Amino acid sequence: MSLRRFRNIARIGPVRVGTAYDQRGREKHAAVCTAPRCDFSADYDTRAAAELAARTHRCPVR
């Protein structure tokens, strides 16, 4: 597992969306929930997809 440097980080509710390059030099976008005990995180090819996931995410733990 390599360390990625994220840039252009935005917060949408409890979810953070960031942009980084993967191991092959392609630009990837990640959406990660920062709420306690919520394990949501995913990588996307487009920023729009990552932001849509952040806007529609509902934490299962409340």
Side-chain angles (χ1 to χ4, degrees):
M1 187 168 140
S2 66
L3 180 66
R4 291 195 279 178
R5 297 198 130 198
F6 287 95
R7 59 185 170 81
N8 197 11
I9 299 172
R11 188 174 188 106
I12 301 172
V15 181
R16 285 190 178 189
V17 177
T19 302
Y21 291 103
D22 67 359
Q23 293 83 4
R24 295 184 178 176
R26 296 177 296 201
E27 190 175 61
K28 294 290 183 176
H29 309 277
V32 179
C33 186
T34 59
R37 298 188 317 260
C38 182
D39 294 331
F40 171 75
S41 67
D43 289 333
Y44 298 94
D45 290 331
T46 64
R47 179 76 181 203
E51 288 182 4
L52 178 65
R55 284 187 179 89
T56 59
H57 172 68
R58 298 292 177 253
C59 293
V61 180
R62 291 219 177 221

